[in-house]
Amino acid sequence: MIGERTSPDGRRIAVLGAGANGASIGADLTRAGHDVTLIEQWPDHVAAMRADGLTVRMPDRVERTEVTTAHLCEVATVIEPFDVVLMLMKAYDSRWAAQLIEPHLAPDGLLVGVQNGMTIDTIAEVVGPERTLGCVIEVSSTMYEPGIVERHSGPDRSWFAVGSVTEATVGRESEIAGLLAWAGTAEVVDDIRSAKWMKLVSNATTLVTTASLGLPMQAALDHPGMRELMLRSGQEALDAALADGRTITPIFGLDADDVSRPETVVETLLDTLYGGFVLPSTTTTILQDWTKGRHSEVDDINGHVVDTARRLGLAAPVNAAVVEVAHRIERREIAPSPDNLRLLLTLAGS
């Protein structure tokens, strides 16, 4: 079911994690008239948004929006609880971020993990499954200057899926889909765990693999031998998902017929992602993190595949190689480079 845009209704909304994706979504909701507070941990970004508003540059237009912001250290001063919290923190920050905001989430409020990775259970453990919704996100954006987002996929080319993890929230998914519909196409799905796994399959195919080459996504895909490695990585992830009891679920606006053949699912996801969401200059969030000197979500993406496969008695040599190369990059032993394809192939036993 496609969500219809929700009119402003007095709900207090927080976007917890106002980086590139979070800030642009928060701007969309603010421009629609919703009561939105962007909560962010980068002091310069908060200061820039307060002084000059938020600028979002898209391929076809530039939007400047006056937004309400708060630094993480100011969360403790919140008096009125939030009815909805859209959490766009890194997957590895999910637990402490949920703990930070939990005292300020209304008793009947909803915390939505609009994130990569399998963060649903972590969030539910903190705020309760009756206040938790899962979400799959596909938005392409970057941010290197405080207060300025480069959004490669505007609302017409962004996509979300929202789903419940317990009967207690069934029927409330449309509340969130209606909000996210201001930022892209938003669907309500019956099996959010499988949808999250399908996005993990796509991420295992593309995010860390292309970042390891230090190239934009399109240039990395075009590098000789890279597409084959990426498809192998994604297939290992799909095999792990199916063995773990998940089902093949259409994402990215696809339908059931598009993913009816398990042997072509990974390639279909790859081609759909590149055809609908990737520009020639698009880089993954992983490469952006490394450029900024940060560690990445590799352990929550390819590492999750490796851990799941190991638990189920499967092999995932390509994902294990991707994790190892990413860790070497983060230890500054090597740099992102096309030369790393050779290393990936060697480590994967190719």
Side-chain angles (χ1 to χ4, degrees):
M1 181 180 71
I2 303 297
E4 297 183 1
R5 289 177 171 178
T6 302
S7 300
D9 56 8
R11 284 180 295 176
R12 281 174 47 79
I13 302 165
V15 175
L16 180 57
N21 285 346
S24 61
I25 292 170
D28 290 334
L29 296 181
T30 298
R31 293 170 71 86
H34 290 281
D35 179 358
V36 182
T37 300
L38 304 184
I39 301 172
E40 171 56 23
Q41 58 187 323
W42 184 14
D44 290 349
H45 185 36
V46 174
M49 290 189 290
R50 285 177 174 170
D52 302 313
L54 175 68
T55 298
V56 180
R57 297 172 177 164
M58 289 174 275
D60 59 342
R61 66 188 184 278
V62 176
E63 293 178 343
R64 181 182 172 278
T65 307
E66 295 291 339
V67 292
T68 300
T69 64
H71 189 269
L72 286 183
C73 65
E74 297 173 309
V75 170
T77 67
V78 171
I79 298 175
E80 294 293 326
F82 294 108
D83 302 293
V84 173
V85 176
L86 305 176
M87 188 161 77
L88 287 99
M89 305 290 288
K90 296 293 185 182
Y92 52 71
D93 287 329
S94 296
R95 184 173 298 279
W96 70 257
Q99 290 170 336
L100 173 76
I101 205 67
E102 190 278 332
H104 309 288
L105 180 66
D108 61 346
L110 292 170
L111 176 54
V112 189
V114 190
Q115 305 164 281
N116 290 324
M118 306 300 289
T119 62
I120 299 172
D121 291 324
T122 297
I123 295 171
E125 288 171 6
V126 176
V127 305
E130 73 283 357
R131 295 196 291 175
T132 300
L133 284 180
C135 182
V136 181
I137 175 175
E138 186 52 52
V139 177
S140 177
S141 61
T142 62
M143 184 174 65
Y144 292 98
E145 299 178 58
I148 301 175
V149 173
E150 303 287 344
R151 184 170 176 177
H152 300 154
S153 59
D156 59 323
R157 295 176 60 247
S158 297
W159 180 87
F160 306 89
V162 182
S164 290
V165 295
T166 176
E167 290 294 324
T169 57
V170 170
R172 300 193 66 188
E173 305 95 337
S174 59
E175 297 177 26
I176 304 305
L179 291 174
L180 292 173
W182 291 102
T185 299
E187 300 183 22
V188 174
V189 297
D190 294 329
D191 186 355
I192 189 61
R193 293 185 188 279
S194 290
K196 292 284 284 183
W197 249 112
M198 291 297 287
K199 179 62 189 302
L200 188 67
V201 169
S202 177
N203 286 344
T205 306
T206 60
L207 290 191
V208 190
T209 52
T210 63
S212 296
L213 270 60
L215 298 172
M217 294 179 70
Q218 186 62 59
L221 180 67
D222 294 339
H223 195 74
M226 189 61 180
R227 181 183 177 92
E228 292 77 10
L229 179 84
M230 293 167 66
L231 291 174
R232 287 174 57 197
S233 184
Q235 189 63 50
E236 290 178 0
L238 181 61
D239 292 344
L242 296 176
D244 201 31
R246 304 278 69 91
T247 60
I248 295 174
T249 302
I251 59 174
F252 299 156
L254 297 169
D255 59 33
D257 288 341
D258 295 321
V259 293
S260 60
R261 297 173 57 201
E263 68 274 15
T264 64
V265 166
V266 176
E267 191 164 26
T268 296
L269 292 179
L270 177 64
D271 292 339
T272 301
L273 177 70
Y274 271 78
F277 301 96
V278 174
L279 297 178
S281 61
T282 300
T283 59
T284 69
T285 180
I286 305 294
L287 186 55
Q288 294 169 42
D289 285 337
W290 290 343
T291 301
K292 298 172 184 177
R294 301 174 181 172
H295 71 283
S296 72
E297 293 175 302
V298 62
D299 294 320
D300 297 280
I301 300 172
N302 304 86
H304 187 78
V305 174
V306 173
D307 292 343
T308 302
R310 183 181 298 117
R311 173 169 56 83
L312 297 171
L314 301 176
V318 177
N319 281 273
V322 171
V323 172
E324 175 60 24
V325 169
H327 286 172
R328 292 187 190 185
I329 290 172
E330 293 177 7
R331 292 195 299 264
R332 310 295 193 271
E333 296 172 4
I334 59 176
S337 166
D339 292 339
N340 289 333
L341 176 57
R342 188 181 305 109
L343 177 59
L344 284 166
L345 291 171
T346 299
L347 292 172
S350 300

